Structure formats: structure tokens, C-alpha cells
Amino acid sequence: MLSRLHRFAALVATLCIALFFTSTLVVELVGTTESIVRIKSLILSPGLWILTPAIAVTGITGAIMGQHRQNTFVVRKKKRMPFIALNGVVILIPAAYFLHHWASLGEFKATFYLVQGIELLAGAINLTLMTLNIRDGSKLHAKASKRTI
């Protein structure tokens, strides 16, 4: 049960980051000012209200399941998680608030685009790390399934 919850939360979190990243890129490249404002608003809410608990559940369930395991896949996942969490708390969440605020005021100045670039870079890093964790989790699950057969 814990494993299923972990997988579901990880998938939701990864899909959120992918959706935020993709929608931001698309709207910045071909969208209107109004569509940028709308995307920034949706990322903030309900986006962060979905992403934040999904990340927390993923981290908590992963920590519980990996508590006493030293498997190569588990060790790699444990090493990535602090970077994912720090990236989210220090860069992605504050950036979402600032970008939403500036967009809602129509302030698309250099600072907006600098923070947008930092957010996209941090999002790409988190998406990559989360995808690697899903890959390693899948290998770990496959390995465990072979043992039970």
C-alpha cells in the first residue's frame, strides 16, 4: 500500500512539474499577455496546492520505505531528494509567487524574465532528477518482483 501511494504521489508531482514547465514555455513563446497571466495564476493555485502535498507524500513515503535499505537504486534516490526539495522550496515556490504577482500587475520587465529563466532551469533540473528517481524506482520494483516469483 505504501509503495502504491509513493508511486502515485511521485507521478503526480512529476506530471505537475512537467505541466508547469511545458505550459510556461508554450505561453512565453506563442501566448498573449493574458495567457501568461492566466498560466502564472493556475501554477500558483491550484498548481502548488497539488504539487506541494504530492512532493511531501513522495518524500515521506520514500523515506519510510528506504529507511533501512542500502540498495544502489535507493541510495541514488536518497541523494537526489535533498536537491529536489531544496530546489522546490528555495527557487520554484518563491518564483511562482513572484512571477504570478508581477504578471498580474503587467510588470514584464527584465526581472520577470530573469526569474522566469531561473524557474525554468530549476524546473528542468527537478524534472530530470524526478524522472531519474522514477526510473530507479521502477528498476527497484522490478527487482523486488523477480524475488517474489
Side-chain angles (χ1 to χ4, degrees):
M1 178 66 181
L2 195 61
S3 176
R4 285 185 180 163
L5 178 60
H6 178 76
R7 281 185 273 156
F8 177 75
L11 181 62
V12 168
T14 304
L15 289 175
C16 281
I17 296 291
L19 181 62
F20 298 171
F21 185 86
T22 305
S23 61
T24 295
L25 277 180
V26 169
V27 79
E28 288 292 342
L29 293 173
V30 298
T32 63
T33 300
E34 293 79 24
S35 61
I36 294 171
V37 172
R38 183 72 178 139
I39 288 297
K40 295 302 166 195
S41 177
L42 289 170
I43 288 172
L44 193 63
S45 181
L48 290 182
W49 291 103
I50 297 167
L51 174 62
T52 304
I55 290 277
V57 169
T58 302
I60 291 166
T61 56
I64 291 168
M65 291 186 309
Q67 195 170 19
H68 301 293
R69 297 176 82 175
Q70 292 302 316
N71 179 292
T72 304
F73 299 122
V74 174
V75 170
R76 281 193 270 188
K77 289 174 65 137
K78 284 180 182 180
K79 285 182 181 177
R80 290 185 198 115
M81 280 311 297
F83 293 106
I84 293 168
L86 188 65
N87 217 359
V89 171
V90 173
I91 298 172
L92 294 174
I93 291 173
Y97 280 98
F98 285 121
L99 292 169
H100 170 263
H101 177 71
W102 292 326
S104 66
L105 295 175
E107 293 184 12
F108 298 100
K109 298 177 182 172
T111 306
F112 176 90
Y113 290 104
L114 175 65
V115 173
Q116 182 70 79
I118 293 168
E119 182 192 47
L120 286 169
L121 178 61
I125 290 168
N126 265 16
L127 190 55
T128 300
L129 294 174
M130 293 164 80
T131 301
L132 291 170
N133 275 359
I134 289 172
R135 180 203 64 194
D136 286 346
S138 296
K139 289 179 181 178
L140 187 63
H141 183 72
K143 190 175 179 180
S145 295
K146 284 181 183 178
R147 280 195 309 252
T148 60
I149 294 177

